[in-house]
Amino acid sequence: ELSDGAQDSLYLALRFAVIEEHNSKSEPIPFVADDLLLNLDNARAGAAFRVLARIAISGQVLLFTHHDHMVPLAQAAVPSEMLKVSRLDGPVLPRPQ
């Protein structure tokens, strides 16, 4: 009965909890994700970025996206000394057939 956004938020919270629990007891693992926050509204995405910043204290976090609107959300939620934004500018090459 949950909306797609609420389902994604719940699933993401459970993933974050598992990672934080693991990192607190074992060698931290890197967290790598691609377009992880697409189905979240701005408030939920900001909260997710704050949790990712907390995870980044103990381990590496890499988040890939091609959605420019995520950058200001990350900049507002993550301390500047923890955030590195890299943009890949250039032509998009066609996929080989």
Side-chain angles (χ1 to χ4, degrees):
E1 302 279 335
L2 296 174
S3 69
D4 288 344
Q7 287 176 17
D8 284 349
S9 295
L10 177 59
Y11 176 67
L12 193 56
L14 293 172
R15 284 178 71 186
F16 287 163
V18 168
I19 291 165
E20 288 186 298
E21 179 70 14
H22 171 84
N23 288 358
S24 72
K25 295 181 177 182
S26 302
E27 180 72 23
I29 57 173
F31 183 81
V32 181
D34 183 28
D35 280 333
L36 183 68
L37 310 177
L38 282 187
N39 292 331
L40 304 183
D41 61 25
N42 288 353
R44 288 177 173 149
F49 277 122
R50 287 189 292 280
V51 175
L52 288 169
R54 193 170 67 227
I55 291 170
I57 293 170
S58 64
Q60 185 178 31
V61 174
L62 300 172
L63 177 63
F64 298 95
T65 187
H66 63 277
H67 295 276
D68 285 336
H69 74 278
M70 289 291 170
V71 174
L73 295 174
Q75 290 170 326
V78 178
S80 61
E81 64 274 6
M82 295 181 75
L83 182 65
K84 170 71 172 140
V85 176
S86 296
R87 295 180 190 272
L88 300 177
D89 295 324
V92 175
L93 302 175
R95 291 183 179 181
Q97 303 245 345

